[in-house]
Amino acid sequence: MMNGEQVKKKKLLMFAHYYHPDVASTGQILKELAEGMLHAIDITVICVVPSYTGKVATEYKTKMFYKEEFNGVKIIRIRVPEFSKSNKISRIKNILVYFFGAMIATFKVGKIDYVYSISQPPILGGLIGVLGKCIKSAKYIYNIQDFNPEQTTAVGYSKNKLILNSMMWFDKFSCKCADKVIVVGRDMIETLKDRFKGKNVPNHVFINNWIDEKEIYPLPADNEKVVAFKKKYGLENKFIFMYSGNIGLYYDLENLMRVIKRFKNEKDIVFAFVGEGSVREKLVMYKEKQGLENVLFIPYQDKADLIYSLNVGDVHWVVNAKGILGISVPSKLYGVMAAGKPVLGVLEKGSEARLIIEETGCGHVTEPGDYEGVEEIINRYIDLRNVSTIRNDSTLEDMGRQGRKYLVKSLTKEVSVKKYIKEIESCGRS
C-alpha cells in the first residue's frame, strides 16, 4: 500500500538559488518547505553549490552539476564562479551562470507536475519558473519574497529607467504566467494589485514565512552556551541591542549607526551586529572612525547555534529602509519572536512586520527615517532595563513572551507548510 501511495505523489521542481547548507534566509525557508511537503509531494531542488559567502568549496569545483540527496529531497547543484558581494559585475556573472545552469539542469529531471520558484535572484527567479513551466509542461507557482524592481528603486540601487522598466515588464510577465502567485505579507497583496492597476490581477494568496519554533525558543540567561557566547565576545553584564541577519542594502543601517553613535559613552550598552552583507565593511569603517567601542561585529552563526546568539540579545532590531512597504518582509522577525525577545522595529505603517509587532505588543516601532524616534525607543528600552533591575519589573520579558505566544499559534512551519501544500495542489493536474 505504501509503495502505491508513493507512486501517486505529484512531483515538484523547486528552483531555490541558495539551499542548505547556505545560510541565506530564503535557502533555509525553502529547505524547511521542501522537507515539510515531502509526505505529500516528491521534491527536486535545483540550486547553486554552497556559495552564499562568495566562496566555493574545493569539492564543488570539478564538475558543472552535482546530484545529491538530503533528508529525502533530491538536489541538483550548479557550480558557479566565486564573487564579491561588493562587486556588482562578479555578482551578476554568478547569477547568470546559475540562471543558464538551471535551465540545463531542468532537462535532467523527469516528469514534473509543478514548478516552483521564488523572486530570487531578482527578475531571473521568476523567469526561471516560467521557462521551467514551459520545458516541463507543468503548473507554475511563483513565490514572491521581494518585489523587484520596486525594491531596487526604493534603495536607489539603480536609477536607470530603461533597466527598471524592463525589470517591471519581465516580472509582471512572470506573474501573468504563474498559475498561482504566493506573497509573504498582507501589504504585498496591494503591491501586486497596484502592478496590474486592479485589472486581471493574477491568481494569488498570502502565506506568512515562519521559523521552526522547536529549533528556536527562549533559553534561561544561565544556559551554558548562552553564557559561553557572551564570554567569547565580551558581552557579560551588558544590555545588548542585537541586529542578526543580512547586513545589506535594504535596512538603512548606515544612518542607524549615526543614531547608535549618540550612545557611544554608554559603557554597559552594546550594539551587536551578527552576520555578513554588502554594507558590513562600511559599518565597520564608521565604527572605527567614530571610536564606537560599544559596537561589535560578530560572524554569521551556524543554524544550530542561532538559538544561542538570538537568546544573547536583550532587544533585537527588525528594520527596513523607507519605501519597502509592500515590497518585502524582514524574516528575522520570526526568529526574534521565537526566542521570546522584544523588538525594536523601524518599519513603515501598514507593513506586515509592523502589523505583527503592533498586534502582538512584542515591541516598539517607529517609521524609517525617524531617527529621533529610534533614539527615543532605545532610551525607552534602557529605562525598562533599569526599572527591571531595581524593581524586578517583567515588562521586557512580557513583551517577548507575547511575541512567542503569537508565533507558536500562527507563524509556525507546520501552519504555513500546510497552506503551501493546499495551494500547490489546488493548481490541479498539468
Side-chain angles (χ1 to χ4, degrees):
M1 181 67 176
M2 183 175 289
N3 289 337
E5 288 177 354
Q6 290 179 349
V7 168
K8 293 178 182 177
K9 276 188 186 179
K10 294 289 189 71
K11 296 181 182 295
L12 182 143
L13 176 61
M14 177 182 287
F15 295 103
H17 193 194
Y18 293 115
Y19 193 77
H20 177 83
D22 272 326
V23 296
S25 59
T26 51
Q28 294 179 37
I29 282 282
L30 293 181
K31 171 186 176 291
E32 293 178 1
L33 176 60
E35 292 176 6
M37 295 195 299
L38 272 178
H39 68 280
I41 304 172
D42 186 89
I43 311 286
T44 298
V45 172
I46 293 177
C47 60
V48 297
V49 298
S51 56
Y52 183 65
T53 61
K55 300 296 182 182
V56 175
T58 304
E59 61 266 31
Y60 286 108
K61 289 184 175 181
T62 58
K63 299 188 297 183
M64 185 63 194
F65 300 102
Y66 295 83
K67 288 190 175 182
E68 302 174 357
E69 185 169 317
F70 186 82
N71 288 353
V73 177
K74 294 180 283 294
I75 304 170
I76 300 178
R77 298 191 185 275
I78 303 159
R79 190 186 76 211
V80 288
E82 295 184 339
F83 68 96
S84 166
K85 293 199 174 190
S86 61
N87 185 310
K88 288 184 182 180
I89 301 300
S90 70
R91 293 190 75 174
I92 291 171
K93 181 180 178 182
N94 176 280
I95 289 169
L96 288 176
V97 171
Y98 162 64
F99 178 83
F100 290 108
M103 289 301 93
I104 296 170
T106 301
F107 289 97
K108 294 178 176 292
V109 298
K111 182 184 182 302
I112 292 295
D113 300 288
Y114 309 111
V115 166
Y116 170 102
S117 75
I118 65 169
S119 53
Q120 292 293 329
I123 311 306
L124 295 183
L127 291 177
I128 286 174
V130 173
L131 292 171
K133 171 180 178 169
C134 295
I135 292 169
K136 309 309 292 185
S137 298
K139 297 293 184 182
Y140 173 39
I141 296 92
Y142 185 23
N143 178 205
I144 299 181
Q145 295 280 331
D146 310 286
F147 274 109
N148 270 295
E150 291 92 338
Q151 188 177 55
T152 303
T153 302
V155 298
Y157 192 70
S158 173
K159 295 182 180 179
N160 186 309
K161 288 190 175 181
L162 177 61
I163 291 175
L164 295 172
N165 288 339
S166 298
M167 289 173 69
M168 179 63 81
W169 189 92
F170 280 115
D171 209 55
K172 285 176 68 175
F173 174 73
S174 297
C175 290
K176 289 177 183 176
C177 290
D179 295 281
K180 184 160 291 182
V181 175
I182 298 177
V183 297
V184 297
R186 286 165 281 185
D187 52 335
M188 295 176 72
I189 293 175
E190 298 308 312
T191 303
L192 182 66
K193 291 178 178 178
D194 288 344
R195 277 188 167 190
F196 293 90
K197 312 300 182 188
K199 298 178 180 178
N200 300 315
V201 180
N203 183 23
H204 63 276
V205 67
F206 152 61
I207 304 177
N208 277 112
N209 280 344
W210 65 87
I211 196 154
D212 190 336
E213 79 288 357
K214 297 181 182 69
E215 290 186 358
I216 306 294
Y217 47 86
L219 293 173
D222 62 356
N223 175 274
E224 181 182 351
K225 291 195 175 182
V226 171
V227 171
F229 188 99
K230 286 186 175 182
K231 185 175 181 179
K232 180 177 181 179
Y233 294 104
L235 295 171
E236 303 107 312
N237 303 314
K238 304 289 187 182
F239 188 61
I240 303 158
F241 290 85
M242 180 174 282
Y243 178 94
S244 178
N246 178 34
I247 306 175
L249 291 168
Y250 308 120
Y251 311 108
D252 196 29
L253 296 177
E254 292 174 78
N255 285 317
L256 291 176
M257 282 288 282
R258 295 182 173 87
V259 179
I260 290 171
K261 178 186 172 185
R262 301 173 192 176
F263 297 87
K264 67 182 293 185
N265 296 321
E266 300 283 347
K267 302 303 182 185
D268 60 341
I269 307 297
V270 170
F271 297 90
F273 291 82
V274 182
E276 305 289 340
S278 58
V279 302
R280 182 183 185 276
E281 287 308 309
K282 289 183 180 179
L283 302 190
V284 171
M285 289 172 62
Y286 184 84
K287 161 197 160 72
E288 293 173 351
K289 184 177 180 181
Q290 300 297 328
L292 306 183
E293 294 181 5
N294 63 344
V295 174
L296 181 67
F297 291 88
I298 299 171
Y300 258 123
Q301 300 300 298
D302 290 338
K303 191 178 181 187
D305 295 327
L306 187 60
I307 182 174
Y308 308 115
S309 62
L310 288 176
N311 271 278
V312 163
D314 294 294
V315 176
H316 282 264
W317 296 86
V318 176
V319 304
N320 262 343
K322 192 171 184 62
I324 301 298
L325 173 67
I327 295 173
S328 179
V329 179
S331 58
K332 61 177 63 64
L333 173 62
Y334 306 117
V336 176
M337 294 173 72
K341 297 294 181 175
V343 177
L344 195 171
V346 187
L347 303 156
E348 289 172 277
K349 190 175 181 64
S351 64
E352 179 64 26
R354 181 161 176 168
L355 288 172
I356 292 172
I357 295 167
E358 291 173 339
E359 289 165 0
T360 61
C362 69
H364 296 296
V365 192
T366 191
E367 286 284 321
D370 179 14
Y371 305 117
E372 298 302 320
V374 173
E375 182 180 6
E376 181 183 332
I377 293 175
I378 293 174
N379 279 317
R380 192 181 307 171
Y381 276 124
I382 293 172
D383 289 342
L384 284 171
R385 178 255 198 162
N386 293 336
V387 169
S388 173
T389 302
I390 297 169
R391 303 179 190 169
N392 198 28
D393 183 88
S394 64
T395 302
L396 282 172
E397 291 80 0
D398 290 343
M399 292 168 69
R401 277 192 287 268
Q402 287 164 212
R404 170 75 187 183
K405 181 179 178 181
Y406 180 85
L407 179 130
V408 169
K409 179 182 177 183
S410 304
L411 298 174
T412 64
K413 178 176 72 172
E414 182 180 358
V415 168
S416 291
V417 169
K418 282 182 179 178
K419 292 178 181 178
Y420 268 93
I421 293 172
K422 178 184 175 184
E423 296 299 334
I424 291 170
E425 291 182 338
S426 72
C427 287
R429 294 182 177 276
S430 60

